[in-house]
């Protein structure tokens, strides 16, 4: 692993923050309004919470109305072309707002912004975008806003601080009982289709004492569901040893968080099969607070394609892992990600994906058609299968999973579950909640239950799985 440099939140950023707050007071009669729009994965959602934390410190309030907003920030995702197209479309639509209110500040950050080609396109074709900053320098937002307020230059800042972790960035969490806790940043795996290592930089783990401190605070603040985040949590390794000189890897970290007193759940994502050890499965089994849910993307059922994807496991290796996991935790819920139509994938390869899906019977799948990402090795590979053909395969896969999901559902009838009530139901007078295995159930109840654990029994009503409080 690279030598990682740990910084506290820099003093000068706090000073910029105070200056921006002062200017805001002079410029606006009431608090200026910021709108932060988040695309992409939980890592981005978590980053946006820190962006909002910094904005709050600078005296901003928040809105979801683009017209009313004094500052709009798009936190973007680059994982598939479709995600990028949506952002370009939505940024395009901001032009009219800027024409009506030239003082409105428009900013773009996140994974798309980290790419040179996007940076240049925004610079040239979107002159009303005032600010663009990459994933590595997010914590410098106060400085960027100060420079915008006091100068008349657009700001484009995408330098990569590959081995820096900045702690104590102010945070404003979106939820009050479900929250994200990043344990590491970046990725070293370079799966050949994936843009993430290029836009997020090298893998770097946080000091375990910082993670424990944050987890304890979240529990104290009433969080009941904490998801540990990283592109490959299985390769977590604290840069700091324990007091007794032990290495803290991911299974050890899970056990330490599990030891924090309180009634809460621990989740984590994402696990990479190549690093998913028996130690991790044992820790999951032993820790009563760790949800019995494993998100373990396999991407493709053909070893030949897995090799071209640089995934570094085989179909057989994956299936063996699943077998061990199910033996250790019979009620384990397993979900996965799949890419259909990787360059050079044949229908025979795809059939191996289908057979793996039928064999494992996943609780849920996140399925994607391959999207070519400029700069990745897969973008250079021959890709003879048409989009239409890939679409057909994709629909075939969805159909297979639909049948499995129905079959899974029938197994849930007449059982008792502990749910974290986390939303309103679709019908008046109903609430919704998730089991630790991530099954969503609706039951009759009121909003006073939000954020609490409830126990329900399941039944079939009008052909639909429902639950009632017991
Ligand atoms: N680090 C995680 C997930 C990263 S991105 C992991 O390794 O599992 C989330 C999912 O997006 C991936 O699992 C993959 O299925 C999908 N994905 C990534 N790049 C893609 C691409 N170029 N085209 C289509 N899907 C892609
Ligand atoms: Fe992308 Fe692979 Fe890293 Fe996941 S492990 S972020 S798919 S390169
Ligand atoms: Fe997208 Fe960046 Fe996450 S590319 S999937 S937001 S790490």
């Amino acid at each position: 692993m690279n030598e990682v440099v740990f910084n506290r939140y820099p003093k000068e950023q706090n000073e910029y923050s105070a200056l921006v707050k002062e200017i805001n007071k002079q410029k606006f009669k009431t608090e200026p309004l910021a709108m932060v729009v988040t695309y992409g994965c939980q890592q981005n959602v978590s980053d946006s919470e820190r962006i909002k934390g910094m904005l709050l410190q600078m005296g901003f309030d928040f809105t979801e109305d683009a017209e009313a907003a004094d500052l709009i920030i798009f936190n973007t995702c680059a994982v598939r072309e479709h995600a990028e197209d949506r952002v370009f479309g939505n940024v395009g639509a901001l032009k009219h707002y800027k024409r009506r209110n030239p003082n409105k500040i428009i900013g773009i950050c996140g994974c798309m912004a980290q790419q040179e080609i996007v940076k240049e396109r925004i610079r040239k074709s979107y002159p009303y975008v005032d600010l663009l900053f990459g994933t590595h320098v997010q914590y410098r937002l106060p400085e960027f806003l100060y420079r915008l307020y006091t100068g008349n230059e657009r700001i484009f800042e995408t330098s990569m601080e590959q081995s820096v972790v900045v702690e104590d960035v102010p945070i404003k969490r979106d939820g009050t009982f479900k929250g994200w806790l990043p344990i590491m940043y970046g990725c070293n795996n370079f799966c050949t289709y994936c843009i993430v290592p290029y836009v997020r930089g090298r893998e770097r783990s946080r000091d375990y004492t910082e993670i424990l401190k944050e987890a304890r605070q979240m529990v104290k603040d009433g969080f009941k569901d904490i998801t540990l985040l990283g592109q490959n949590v299985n390769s977590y390794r604290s840069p700091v040893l324990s007091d007794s000189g032990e290495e803290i890897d991911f299974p050890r970290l899970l056990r330490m968080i599990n030891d924090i007193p309180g009634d809460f759940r621990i989740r984590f994502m994402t696990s990479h099969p190549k690093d998913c050890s028996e130690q991790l499965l044992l820790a999951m089994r032993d820790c009563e607070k760790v949800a019995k849910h494993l998100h373990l993307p396999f991407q493709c059922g053909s070893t030949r394609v897995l090799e071209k994807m640089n995934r570094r496991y085989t179909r057989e290796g994956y299936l063996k892992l699943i077998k061990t996991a199910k033996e250790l935790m019979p009620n384990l819920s397993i979900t996965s990600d799949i890419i259909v139509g990787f360059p050079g994938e044949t229908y025979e390869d795809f059939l191996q994906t289908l057979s793996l899906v039928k064999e494992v019977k996943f609780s849920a799948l996140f399925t994607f058609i391959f999207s070519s990402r400029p700069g990745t090795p897969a973008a250079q590979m021959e890709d003879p299968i048409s989009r239409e053909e890939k679409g057909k395969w994709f629909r075939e896969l969805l159909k297979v999973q639909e049948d499995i999901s129905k079959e899974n559902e029938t197994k849930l009838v007449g059982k008792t579950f502990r749910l974290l009530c986390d939303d309103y139901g679709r019908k008046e007078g109903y609430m919704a909640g998730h089991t630790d295995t991530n099954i969503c159930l609706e039951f009759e109840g009121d909003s006073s239950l939000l954020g609490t654990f409830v126990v329900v029994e399941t039944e079939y009503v009008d052909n639909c799985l429902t639950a009632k409080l017991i």
Side-chain angles (χ1 to χ4, degrees), residues 48-327:
S48 284
E49 292 185 332
R50 282 168 169 83
I51 288 171
K52 286 181 220 168
M54 289 184 275
L55 291 172
L56 191 67
Q57 204 180 57
M58 288 183 270
F60 284 89
D61 202 349
F62 298 94
T63 179
E64 285 174 16
D65 175 4
E67 183 77 59
D70 300 291
L71 165 69
I72 299 178
I73 294 184
F74 280 3
N75 189 7
T76 62
C77 170
V79 82
R80 282 171 291 276
E81 195 180 358
H82 175 71
E84 292 202 345
D85 289 346
R86 248 178 68 206
V87 169
F88 280 121
N90 292 346
V91 174
L94 295 179
K95 188 175 175 178
H96 307 288
Y97 293 111
K98 183 82 172 185
R99 198 178 298 141
R100 280 200 291 275
N101 175 9
N103 290 328
K104 198 188 284 283
I105 294 177
I106 296 178
I108 298 185
C109 65
C111 297
M112 262 173 87
Q114 192 63 61
Q115 299 173 97
E116 217 42 43
I117 151 177
V118 171
K119 180 175 159 190
E120 288 320 310
R121 180 164 165 195
I122 297 281
R123 203 198 291 275
K124 287 203 189 80
S125 312
Y126 297 80
Y128 47 91
V129 172
D130 308 285
L131 169 64
L132 179 144
F133 56 99
T135 56
H136 292 245
V137 292
Q138 263 164 21
Y139 69 93
R140 286 169 53 198
L141 180 60
E143 171 197 337
F144 301 147
L145 285 183
Y146 178 75
R147 278 163 52 195
L148 275 177
Y149 275 179
T150 55
N152 43 22
E153 298 238 313
R154 300 167 79 198
I155 294 175
F156 287 78
E157 182 57 82
T158 54
S159 55
M160 288 191 111
E161 297 169 354
Q162 288 282 17
S163 44
V164 175
V165 170
V166 182
E167 295 291 355
D168 295 335
V169 181
I171 182 162
K172 179 185 177 294
R173 294 191 193 275
D174 292 336
T176 51
F177 50 85
K178 266 180 150 175
W180 316 109
L181 204 181
I183 63 165
M184 60 200 298
Y185 305 98
C187 182
N188 284 351
N189 289 320
F190 290 95
C191 303
T192 53
Y193 50 80
C194 186
I195 195 78
V196 173
Y198 304 89
V199 293
R200 287 271 169 189
R202 294 295 61 72
E203 192 177 280
R204 51 223 184 268
S205 295
R206 283 177 79 186
D207 175 341
Y208 82 97
T209 58
E210 297 289 338
I211 298 171
L212 288 180
K213 194 169 83 184
E214 195 170 334
R216 277 194 210 100
Q217 188 59 47
M218 289 175 84
V219 174
K220 212 164 130 204
D221 291 343
F223 281 84
K224 298 279 187 281
D225 190 301
I226 299 174
T227 303
L228 311 178
L229 291 181
Q231 294 300 341
N232 176 13
V233 290
N234 305 139
S235 64
Y236 172 82
R237 209 151 255 100
S238 171
V240 173
L241 300 181
S242 76
D243 291 343
S244 52
E246 274 175 279
E247 265 221 336
I248 312 286
D249 59 5
F250 187 57
R252 183 92 180 87
L253 181 73
L254 269 186
R255 289 180 191 272
M256 289 172 125
I257 299 175
N258 190 66
D259 284 343
I260 298 175
D263 188 8
F264 64 98
R265 276 178 188 159
I266 307 162
R267 300 181 182 280
F268 57 88
M269 65 189 302
T270 297
S271 293
H272 193 303
K274 82 175 164 61
D275 300 312
C276 184
S277 64
E278 189 160 345
Q279 250 53 40
L280 169 68
L281 299 174
L282 289 169
M284 280 182 84
R285 183 198 61 183
D286 295 346
C287 294
E288 74 287 356
K289 290 171 192 157
V290 174
K292 301 298 173 267
H293 172 212
L294 184 61
H295 182 60
L296 197 65
F298 74 92
Q299 312 297 358
C300 181
S302 151
T303 299
R304 193 185 75 84
V305 175
L306 286 173
E307 221 166 274
K308 289 189 162 187
M309 288 177 160
N310 191 30
R311 290 290 288 179
R312 287 173 277 173
Y313 54 86
T314 59
R315 172 194 178 86
E316 291 69 33
Y318 185 84
L319 286 170
K320 192 156 159 252
L321 201 53
I322 297 288
K323 189 163 166 272
T324 314
K326 282 185 174 172
E327 274 165 14

Side-chain angles (χ1 to χ4, degrees), residues 421 423-425 429-433 441-447 449-450:
C421 175
D423 208 348
Y424 292 90
Y430 278 75
M431 300 301 290
L441 293 169
E442 295 201 4
F443 55 91
E444 226 174 316
D446 61 58
S447 59
L449 297 173
L450 265 180

